[in-house]
Amino acid sequence: MFEAVEGMLSEHADLEERLALPETHADARLARTLNRRYSELNAIIATWRDWQQAGDDAEAARELAADDDSFAAEVDEQLARREQLAERLRRLLVPRDPADDKDVLLEVKSGEGGEESALFAGDLLRMYSRYAERRGWKVEMLDATVSDLGGYKSVTVAVKAPGSPEPGQAPYALLKFEGGVHRVQRVPVTESQGRIHTSAAGVLVTPEAEQVDVEVNDADLRIDVFRSSGPGGQSVNTTDSAVRITHVPTGIVVSCQNEKSQLQNKEQALRILRSRLLQAAQDAADAEASDARRSQVRTVDRSERIRTYNFPENRISDHRTGFKAYNLDQVLDGDIQPLLDSCVEADLATRLAALED
């Protein structure tokens, strides 16, 4: 493991030189790619150097302890610190999902339950928006279909992090575990008898693709325009500004109606389409070569019901990891890091076990 770090030192030095060149930053995409890799290597090499230093400090304290017993405790402290750093380094070296350093497109759709499901979809969007605020991320609304009571039949947002986040801290690395069916148990606002109902909303999380990630051939697209629908407002129900794009080879369909112009809706739809195509390509690669490419194995199944939000008990339960807490009100206010951490730990444990096989 530690020999692998030594092999990264030359790559780290080379990246440092390239990032110092003005011509590198003339290409924004290249600069961002290099910065991401440099940030990843920085974390690994800094931890490796701290691990080496802890070993040197432990040895120095051991020599001093031969003459002064008061240094014996420092030996134990440095050895314990070295063990902690070794574990951190081991985690940093585990191969990651190649998309982990990307921003995300997050889509929430109401499911069974009518207006109650749409209201719950709105609650989920607020939860993710508040979580993004806590982390200093930006949330950009791309498309939305609002229900009669102010919920969302469907809503798509982009979640972006500033700069180059540390490994495992970018939006997709964390929010990818949110994809799946979210179930809610509560008394709907439309319920006159006070009975608890169960409904659900679906969440789709895809890495945001840049144009260099996915090539979309115009000949593969069927583009239809239609009249926007929804509650009032300029350009709604008055012009054919909404756009539906079908990617013929894959059958993927994306529609956008949130913007006022047809051109803007087309650009947003293409943005979503590129991300879905990137996700589809990654999923296909996972299925075809899961044994050979363990770095892309997702241990937490994101296609099934993943979580239950029980309002009467103020309880949140994740069905994949067994995580359970009784602070649902705080979770819906954006305090979802413990939930995400339980998924990250489960994923990491499986990746580590795979490397040791």
Side-chain angles (χ1 to χ4, degrees):
M1 177 174 65
F2 302 102
E3 291 176 358
V5 179
E6 293 178 349
M8 296 176 180
L9 292 174
S10 60
E11 181 186 359
H12 183 263
D14 178 62
L15 284 172
E16 200 163 44
E17 290 180 5
R18 293 181 68 184
L19 286 169
L21 299 174
E23 52 264 36
T24 297
H25 297 276
D27 185 336
R29 290 193 182 94
L30 174 63
R32 188 175 184 186
T33 299
L34 296 182
N35 264 314
R36 284 172 172 169
R37 178 58 176 164
Y38 183 73
S39 176
E40 181 180 355
L41 290 178
N42 253 347
I44 293 171
I45 291 172
T47 304
W48 176 70
R49 286 173 174 159
D50 287 344
W51 173 82
Q52 286 184 314
Q53 186 62 52
D56 293 341
D57 291 345
E59 186 59 33
R62 187 179 287 112
E63 292 176 2
L64 292 169
D67 299 320
D68 186 346
D69 290 344
S70 64
F71 284 96
E74 186 174 343
V75 175
D76 293 337
E77 289 174 6
Q78 291 300 329
L79 289 176
R81 180 169 179 268
R82 196 169 196 247
E83 186 60 34
Q84 291 173 350
L85 288 166
E87 177 61 22
R88 171 171 164 75
L89 185 58
R90 196 161 68 105
R91 288 168 173 252
L92 287 171
L93 288 172
V94 172
R96 296 181 178 274
D97 187 326
D100 273 358
D101 61 355
K102 292 186 176 294
D103 296 323
V104 304
L105 296 189
L106 189 148
E107 181 178 355
V108 186
K109 283 181 173 289
S110 62
E112 296 181 1
E115 280 293 342
E116 164 61 10
S117 178
L119 290 170
F120 179 51
D123 292 337
L124 291 177
L125 176 63
R126 179 179 180 275
M127 178 180 78
Y128 295 130
S129 298
R130 294 300 299 271
Y131 175 68
E133 288 176 12
R134 291 173 183 230
R135 298 194 66 95
W137 296 345
K138 177 184 176 183
V139 177
E140 177 189 359
M141 179 77 74
L142 299 184
D143 190 57
T145 303
V146 182
S147 70
D148 293 337
L149 295 182
Y152 288 101
K153 296 179 181 178
S154 176
V155 57
T156 303
V157 297
V159 182
K160 293 179 168 291
S164 300
E166 291 188 5
Q169 299 302 308
Y172 186 72
L174 294 170
L175 292 177
K176 66 182 179 182
F177 298 109
E178 291 302 292
V181 177
H182 296 241
R183 184 177 67 171
V184 61
Q185 296 172 324
R186 65 183 177 188
V187 178
V189 294
T190 55
E191 170 59 54
S192 59
Q193 303 297 319
R195 293 172 297 186
I196 296 172
H197 287 227
T198 298
S199 59
V203 176
L204 174 67
V205 182
T206 55
E208 176 152 22
E210 299 177 19
Q211 292 191 19
V212 293
D213 294 326
V214 177
E215 182 179 347
V216 179
N217 190 331
D218 290 344
D220 292 334
L221 303 179
R222 185 173 71 245
I223 301 177
D224 302 304
V225 295
F226 58 98
R227 190 154 295 181
S228 302
S229 62
Q234 286 187 336
S235 301
V236 176
N237 295 317
T238 59
T239 62
D240 290 335
S241 61
V243 174
R244 181 185 300 109
I245 299 179
T246 303
H247 186 251
V248 177
T250 62
I252 294 175
V253 180
V254 177
S255 61
C256 276
Q257 62 174 14
N258 212 49
E259 302 297 337
K260 294 180 179 180
S261 79
Q262 188 181 115
L263 180 60
Q264 289 174 312
N265 281 320
K266 179 182 176 182
E267 288 303 314
Q268 298 289 43
L270 283 171
R271 185 174 170 185
I272 297 170
L273 176 63
R274 279 194 294 268
S275 294
R276 291 192 183 174
L277 288 173
L278 177 61
Q279 182 69 62
Q282 290 177 339
D283 289 344
D286 291 349
E288 184 177 339
S290 59
D291 291 333
R293 299 178 64 189
R294 293 183 185 276
S295 66
Q296 294 188 17
V297 174
R298 297 189 177 95
T299 61
V300 180
D301 188 346
R302 299 181 297 146
S303 62
E304 303 296 335
R305 185 190 70 200
I306 64 169
R307 196 173 294 152
T308 295
Y309 303 70
N310 186 300
F311 276 71
E313 298 179 15
N314 198 35
R315 172 170 51 84
I316 184 78
S317 304
D318 194 289
H319 304 298
R320 301 160 297 177
T321 66
F323 179 92
K324 186 180 294 185
Y326 292 85
N327 64 337
L328 177 56
D329 50 344
Q330 296 175 38
V331 167
L332 290 173
D333 195 43
D335 186 14
I336 63 173
Q337 194 60 56
L339 281 159
L340 299 180
D341 287 344
S342 72
C343 294
V344 170
E345 286 299 315
D347 183 61
L348 181 62
T350 298
R351 291 174 186 268
L352 285 170
L355 289 176
E356 294 167 359
D357 287 345

